[in-house]
Amino acid sequence: MSVQVKSNDDTSPAPVLIVQVWRGDKDGAFQTFEVPARANQTVLDVVTEIQRTQDETLSYRFACRVGMCGSCAMVVNERPRWTCRTRVDELEGGPLKLEPLRNLPIVKDLTVDMEPFFNKWRDAHGYFEPGENPPADFAVVEPSSPERQAVDEGIECINCGVCYSACDVVSWNEDYLGPAALNRAWTLVNDVRDRGQDARLTAVTGDAGCHSCHSHMSCTEFCPKHLSPTFSIAGLKRATSNKLWRRR
């Protein structure tokens, strides 16, 4: 085990894991806990054990425990991750250090307010627009079409917020729409059924839109599903530039 473990005397069957947990709001501090180190232990297992056996006031989120919902995301040893899919024995050395996701308001302890994140999803027009008179029948979207292939990865995003927490531009500019919202906009730009393209491309072109991305690739590096929001944002840059040139 590579994280810091404290050995006990011969009367204890298991070593103890040293865990530093953020407590309080943005002005809070770290609190140290000791948890039995177990085989195949995930970070979410550790947090759950602390809450259930040592401090029931510890606040955090989780739901599925199998990497489907993304609600358990936290900053673990300085990196945003899904805690349900992060095993303790795979982490770097030192104590296990747990913080709430960055770039979002802290509600309490390891829980953040996701409202700004989803508001930007809305501001990027990340919702399907059928138009005033949608067709009566289902549209046919060929899986092999260039538009569908362009967003084959992007549609797998579950909005866990890991990329948003890792984004350097959001850290500098709180108005920046962020990689998840822009990724969603890109998937809809390539949806042949959608009728809201002009408004969407306008929404992602402003000072807080796709052209503010510096392509640091942090969102792509940390995405637990190995998606590339950077690719999606590059696609939006091309689409918005093409729209501008068509107007001239």
Side-chain angles (χ1 to χ4, degrees), residues 15 43 62 72 119 121 125 134 138 179 186 192 194 205 231 238 245:
V43 174
F62 75 96
C72 69
N119 283 347
W121 200 77
H125 288 228
F138 291 105
W186 172 242
V192 297
D194 189 272
T205 307
F231 173 87
R238 294 192 301 271
W245 284 111

Side-chain angles (χ1 to χ4, degrees), residues 19 111 204:
V19 188
T111 307
V204 301

Side-chain angles (χ1 to χ4, degrees), residues 15 25 75 98 101 103 107 132-133 142 149 195 216 243:
D25 56 16
V75 175
L98 307 179
L101 289 178
N103 298 330
V107 177
E132 294 183 5
N133 298 299
E142 294 291 343
Q149 290 294 312
R195 299 294 180 268
H216 287 175
K243 178 187 176 185

Side-chain angles (χ1 to χ4, degrees), residues 88-103:
V88 173
D89 59 8
E90 297 174 346
L91 295 174
E92 303 83 359
L96 181 58
K97 187 177 180 182
L98 307 179
E99 305 169 68
L101 289 178
R102 293 166 183 162
N103 298 330

